[in-house]
Amino acid sequence: MDRITLCRDFDIAPVAVGTMNLMEWGLDRQELLNRVNEYLELGLTTFDHADIYGQGECERYFGEMLKLEPALRTRMEIITKGGIVYDSLRRPYFVSESYNLSKEYIIAACEQSLLRLGIDTIDLYLLHRPCPLMDPAETAEALEKLYKDGKVRHVGVSNFLPEQIKALESCLTLPILTNEIKMSVQCMDFLADGTMEDALQRKIPLLAYSPLCGGELHSKNLSKANLATLEVLEEIRLELGAENVDEVMYAWLYRLPVKVVPITGTGKKERVLAAVKALEYSMSREQWYDILRIARSPEVSRKYHGL
Ligand SMILES: NC(=O)c1ccc[n+]([C@@H]2O[C@H](COP(=O)([O-])OP(=O)(O)OC[C@H]3O[C@@H](n4cnc5c(N)ncnc54)[C@H](OP(=O)(O)O)[C@@H]3O)[C@@H](O)[C@H]2O)c1
């Protein structure tokens, strides 16, 4: 598998393993260690975390697994994110709408992630979401300090629009190596909001989260629109000779002109391997457009088709 270069001295696997639902995979620490070893053997060396996953439990559990075989750390890239606030003391529920990219908060969040993961440095640290109260100079200072202190090797963003990246970049000496965004046959905002063009100009890959629409197309009660999408995916699956529609959804992302690294969400190894298998297919322009046509959003229609 060809690796994806983010900068001169940093590359990642073409498929990243997401850990948002790690606590639901039903694996004890030893089983998780075995699974991670299998992934590493397959070249799947990149793991995507965030401090909020399981309210910190996913990072902690992964860190406990690493303690069982510390040498594994050198064979993997750890991505994690900070900036979404959860304040379970002040409020008894998780406040996903609240963000904090202040210097103090980001430094503390990153240090807490390091502690939970039990590691000295994070390979790629991402700001999880843009915050309307972000002072780019202050946020940049936080990232620079984390870098200077050896706590992060590289930095990037997640869910940022091009203008938000530009504002941050204007104050930052470190390069922004990626934008982690929602991308799938059901979430095509990146085609309409300038995100893809921005990545192309910067020559950076996009990390695609929820590449299978969070499993929506596999749910029991499918809407009419989802049934129609599945029908098209199934037709293209037969044409490509793919094993399942998951492979078709990944192949649709790989056909884009920008480099896309999907972050799988599944706890099942064979389902992660669908993302690897799909690297072999080359979807035709017509097949790609068939999916666009059935699943595009009004914004995409307006931008490309004047509808
Ligand atoms: N930066 C951000 O803001 C952000 C936001 C969300 C997520 N993320 C990252 O992206 C990763 C992936 O997100 P996601 O979980 O939404 O990804 P996803 O791959 O789109 O969805 C995963 C879900 O789909 C189900 N699924 C996959 N294949 C299936 C199949 N063939 N049949 C039935 N169900 C199937 C999985 O169930 P099973 O586990 O049972 O297979 C799982 O519930 C996360 O782990 C996290 O690392 C980042």
Side-chain angles (χ1 to χ4, degrees), residues 16-22 24-25 47-50 52-53 81 84 126-129 157-159 180-184 207-219 244-246 249-250 262-268 270-272 274:
V17 177
T19 64
M20 185 170 70
N21 296 322
L22 179 66
E24 285 142 46
W25 292 355
F47 296 87
D48 182 70
H49 292 266
I52 56 161
Y53 296 164
K81 309 182 272 296
I84 298 185
L126 308 181
L127 301 175
H128 205 151
R129 281 194 168 271
V157 294
S158 178
N159 300 298
E180 180 174 314
I181 57 159
K182 196 171 185 177
M183 296 174 87
S184 70
L207 300 187
Y209 73 76
S210 302
L212 300 181
C213 327
E216 200 181 314
L217 289 173
H218 293 294
S219 61
N244 50 57
V245 292
D246 291 4
M249 288 193 264
Y250 288 120
I263 307 175
T264 61
T266 179
K268 302 183 175 69
E270 67 277 11
R271 290 183 180 169
V272 171

Side-chain angles (χ1 to χ4, degrees), residues 215-228:
E216 200 181 314
L217 289 173
H218 293 294
S219 61
K220 286 207 176 74
N221 299 315
L222 288 169
S223 66
K224 252 191 180 165
N226 283 347
L227 278 170

Side-chain angles (χ1 to χ4, degrees), residues 210-270:
S210 302
L212 300 181
C213 327
E216 200 181 314
L217 289 173
H218 293 294
S219 61
K220 286 207 176 74
N221 299 315
L222 288 169
S223 66
K224 252 191 180 165
N226 283 347
L227 278 170
T229 302
L230 264 184
E231 213 172 283
V232 173
L233 292 174
E234 179 58 23
E235 272 172 32
I236 295 172
R237 179 189 78 74
L238 292 169
E239 290 169 13
L240 290 175
E243 271 176 39
N244 50 57
V245 292
D246 291 4
E247 292 178 5
V248 179
M249 288 193 264
Y250 288 120
W252 188 82
L253 292 175
Y254 295 145
R255 182 63 181 79
L256 290 160
V258 68
K259 277 267 175 249
V260 175
V261 175
I263 307 175
T264 61
T266 179
K268 302 183 175 69
K269 183 176 140 195
E270 67 277 11

Side-chain angles (χ1 to χ4, degrees), residues 145-156:
K145 178 157 173 46
L146 289 168
Y147 173 77
K148 281 195 192 103
D149 293 346
K151 292 178 178 163
V152 306
R153 283 178 65 209
H154 302 285
V155 299

